Amino acid sequence: MKKIINRLRLYISFLRKGHGYSLFFIDIFYKIYLNHSKIIHFRDGYPVYSLSTPALFSKSSANFFTRQFYRIIQNRNIPNLMSLAVNDLCNANCEHCSFYEGVDDKSKIVMSFEQIVHLIRSAEELGVSILNIVGGEPLLRPDLADIIKSINHDLVTTTLFTNGSQLAKQAKILKSSGLDGVYVSIDASDAKEHDRIRGKSKLFNAAMNGIKESLNVGLSVGLSCCLTPEKFAEGEFEKIVELGKRIGVHEILIFDAMPTGRMKNRKDLVDNFDWIEKLIEKSKKYNQDINYPGILIYAYTTSHRGVGCACGTSYLYVSPYGEVMPCDFHHVPFGNVIKEPLYKVWDRLTNHADYNHSSWGGCKIKSSDFINKGITQQNTSSGCVGCEVKNNEL
């Protein structure tokens, strides 16, 4: 009898307390990752907190949470996010590009449609629930819509990063193919300055048209901005936020400029965290205001407050040529999915001493301690499989 009474009391408690508990759980979950817990969009009826997470109650969110459970059981790192570069072509010439060498060098062969589909299947099996499609400029790939159609959208949320030049004419077909969200790169609120940074005239206006059409077809839409310390000091952050509010985007993703690619010689970007702390602090008032887009600060997410720098623990990047690297900004190949299964390369990456746990304090490549370890150059003598480490850990 006592067992029956306790079960009945549990049921009544669930009815009385469960709803509030669930809402509190959701608030805490998103607060840790995003620095806010406001709904920025309802996409196809599902609440969206960020373009960088699956919509709540969607099948891909169920896949995400289930994989975290199995991560505990297996006591292994499982990737939930993969960035996939589908091409090495670009019609812009950005001063902060981290992939300019790939755009300039045409000696490598870009993965075929069949190879990309095979990679996506392997990523789905491994546990990826969020797929970022990048380039180059991914909208210059003719079969992009077919690539998006090939994704199992019950398992994976798909987001595209683009400069927006081709977006207006492709937004509808991308949405119908299964694309969930699109980040459009806007690096200055002023059209002339944005075009100067990106090295392409009339790009700002084309991007604005692409954003408008993407909103019209029901995509979750965000701005992606690379912010330098000097631009932050000039007030560009606030201007970008106001622009985003004015044009009605759902989110603004702020990347702090990285010492990689065309900015690899900018020593002022290494161990320079004071301005980033100010950036995070300034974002709070916008995230507390429901009238503004969600503000996702990359440096917040990679700090001790969020998930930390997750390359090799829950995140990986695959180049257009099949090379598996820790992230978009840290170009050290650990293997190639054309030559061996993805799970084997991931196992090699995630078992490396410098990647088998999330690190606090922001992106690894902005830390002099990490740079001084020598894990910054690819080992060309081994066919770009692995990295050049001082203590020969690989």
Side-chain angles (χ1 to χ4, degrees), residues 121-246:
R121 289 290 169 272
S122 299
E124 291 168 351
E125 290 180 353
L126 199 55
V128 167
S129 57
I130 307 161
L131 177 62
N132 289 339
I133 297 178
V134 298
E137 169 48 51
L139 290 180
L140 295 180
R141 177 152 183 152
D143 59 357
L144 179 61
D146 291 327
I147 290 174
I148 294 173
K149 285 180 183 178
S150 75
I151 298 166
N152 185 339
H153 299 287
D154 285 345
L155 299 177
V156 179
T157 291
T158 310
T159 302
L160 174 76
F161 282 76
T162 174
N163 63 33
S165 60
Q166 311 295 308
L167 185 56
K169 60 183 179 182
Q170 295 191 43
K172 186 175 182 179
I173 190 171
L174 293 174
K175 171 64 175 174
S176 64
S177 298
L179 186 68
D180 295 297
V182 56
Y183 281 117
V184 182
S185 297
I186 297 293
D187 297 310
S189 57
D190 176 74
K192 185 176 180 180
E193 177 62 6
H194 171 78
D195 292 350
R196 183 197 67 79
I197 292 172
R198 295 240 147 206
K200 183 175 176 61
S201 63
K202 301 181 181 179
L203 182 56
F204 183 90
N205 291 336
M208 291 297 114
N209 291 333
I211 289 169
K212 182 178 180 180
E213 184 60 23
S214 296
L215 291 169
N216 287 340
V217 300
L219 289 167
S220 295
V221 182
L223 303 184
S224 174
C225 175
C226 178
L227 200 64
T228 60
E230 59 270 24
K231 285 294 183 182
F232 175 72
E234 294 171 4
E236 193 60 53
F237 170 64
E238 293 87 345
K239 294 175 184 177
I240 287 286
V241 172
E242 292 298 335
L243 170 66
K245 178 187 177 185
R246 188 166 64 250

